[in-house]
Amino acid sequence: PAGDGQNLVTEDVTVVEGEVATISCRVKNSDDSVIQLLNPNRQTIYFRDFRPLKDSRFQLVNFSNSELRVSLTNVSISDEGRYFCQLYTDPPQEIYTTITVLVPPRNLVIDIEKETAVEGEEIELNCTAMASRPATTIRWFKGNKELTGKSEVERWSDMYTVTSQLLLKVGREDDGVPVICLVDHPAVKDLQTQRYLEVMYKPQVRVSQNYPLQGLTREGEPLELTCTAFGKPQPTDMRWLRVDDEMPQHVVVSGSNLLISNLNKTDNGTYRCEASNAVGKSHADYMLFVY
């Protein structure tokens, strides 16, 4: 600082664009000297309680022998820089305060390469935080688990646009799970956006024995099996077959059920339920042994 600022005190100011910055020039030991405030071009904003500068965004908040406090409303990036507090002693004293303007990201967008993915596929997601300052930090979450993306920063004059790329290998358990893009930035709290994953997967097939509920499959008794299948899309095609052999004549198949009303030894073997959808085909087996 020119001369010596030891009798002057001030603080740096950080403010979000559009809000109010308050600059305070204080004198530790007042001797009734004049205090004035200058802008970064060294034009006088206030001289005592008088404002030579024709900018009504500057207003006097407090004026005394020991303090000149000034507010600047509707702050923009062009207001950034060093402002000088001066004390008219002999020699004059001067210190500066720096105004820093933060700009929150204009918006946050997630872009998914495919609306619908198939299990096992790797998809690319991009999250873009437009025009902020300083540059934002982007974080990714799948459900509540944090993932690691790869960020790229582009600078446009005073602003930074950040894009983060996430490569995600999806499984059936990811269907309907939100992927969240969250911004860390000093000008904004809790800014996030999310997209729900849609994952197609082939059927999961299960065969259950309805009758006999417990116990053995005995000769002369009935057997009833049910096949259930879930998938995305929901399987439309379900069929029963006997592995490595013809289906016995007396087996009744109705939809997902298989019924043998009178078991005999020739029914021994493996019965398979197959289900398919657009993604693929799966099956489940039931091994029958007649006692």
Side-chain angles (χ1 to χ4, degrees), residues 80-261:
E80 257 194 356
R82 286 180 176 181
Y83 289 72
F84 302 91
C85 296
Q86 278 185 348
L87 191 58
Y88 270 71
T89 46
D90 188 21
Q93 298 176 39
E94 175 179 288
I95 55 170
Y96 65 81
T97 168
T98 304
I99 291 187
T100 304
V101 180
L102 307 174
V103 181
R106 297 283 183 233
N107 59 358
L108 196 58
V109 185
I110 294 183
D111 185 44
I112 301 193
E113 159 194 29
K114 303 177 103 165
E115 283 302 321
T116 309
V118 174
E119 62 177 338
E121 204 174 10
E122 187 176 63
I123 58 169
E124 182 186 316
L125 297 96
N126 285 289
C127 182
T128 305
M130 306 287 289
S132 75
R133 134 187 221 160
T136 51
T137 301
I138 290 181
R139 295 167 68 195
W140 288 99
F141 293 86
K142 185 179 81 177
N144 50 15
K145 180 175 179 284
E146 183 152 7
L147 308 171
T148 310
K150 200 173 81 209
S151 281
E152 216 169 78
V153 180
E154 265 184 284
R155 184 174 178 170
W156 300 89
S157 69
D158 296 323
M159 302 285 212
Y160 298 88
T161 288
V162 180
T163 300
S164 179
Q165 179 196 64
L166 180 69
L167 294 173
L168 190 59
K169 194 173 168 148
V170 292
R172 61 180 58 196
E173 69 284 352
D174 295 324
D175 183 48
V177 172
V179 170
I180 298 155
C181 169
L182 180 135
V183 149
D184 264 344
H185 193 272
V188 69
K189 278 256 182 293
D190 303 326
L191 178 62
Q192 59 176 69
T193 184
Q194 62 183 33
R195 294 281 291 267
Y196 289 89
L197 294 170
E198 187 163 356
V199 183
M200 314 278 265
Y201 52 91
K202 64 183 191 180
Q204 284 162 291
V205 185
R206 216 179 96 233
V207 171
S208 45
Q209 180 179 312
N210 296 353
Y211 190 88
L213 257 178
Q214 272 98 23
L216 304 174
T217 42
R218 299 182 195 277
E219 204 163 3
E221 298 211 335
L223 167 73
E224 189 186 346
L225 304 177
T226 297
C227 177
T228 48
F230 298 101
K232 187 165 182 172
Q234 193 51 33
T236 45
D237 193 31
M238 195 186 281
R239 63 195 203 100
W240 282 98
L241 51 103
R242 187 177 179 185
V243 181
D244 302 329
D245 210 341
E246 292 288 300
M247 193 66 100
Q249 292 284 298
H250 56 280
V251 170
V252 177
V253 172
S254 70
S256 56
N257 286 11
L258 180 146
L259 182 70
I260 302 177
S261 51

Side-chain angles (χ1 to χ4, degrees), residues 27-127:
V27 183
K28 280 188 275 192
N29 305 305
S30 172
D31 58 358
D32 294 348
S33 298
V34 170
I35 313 173
Q36 77 165 343
L37 177 63
L38 310 168
N39 70 10
N41 301 325
R42 300 194 76 91
Q43 297 164 299
T44 302
I45 300 171
Y46 268 93
F47 179 88
R48 282 206 170 106
D49 53 354
F50 171 66
R51 190 187 74 219
L53 198 68
K54 299 279 175 275
D55 184 345
S56 59
R57 292 184 309 139
F58 289 100
Q59 293 290 331
L60 197 59
V61 178
N62 183 33
F63 169 70
S64 67
N65 285 341
S66 56
E67 185 186 36
L68 171 62
R69 197 186 321 156
V70 174
S71 68
L72 168 58
T73 51
N74 196 12
V75 173
S76 76
I77 288 178
S78 54
D79 295 318
E80 257 194 356
R82 286 180 176 181
Y83 289 72
F84 302 91
C85 296
Q86 278 185 348
L87 191 58
Y88 270 71
T89 46
D90 188 21
Q93 298 176 39
E94 175 179 288
I95 55 170
Y96 65 81
T97 168
T98 304
I99 291 187
T100 304
V101 180
L102 307 174
V103 181
R106 297 283 183 233
N107 59 358
L108 196 58
V109 185
I110 294 183
D111 185 44
I112 301 193
E113 159 194 29
K114 303 177 103 165
E115 283 302 321
T116 309
V118 174
E119 62 177 338
E121 204 174 10
E122 187 176 63
I123 58 169
E124 182 186 316
L125 297 96
N126 285 289
C127 182

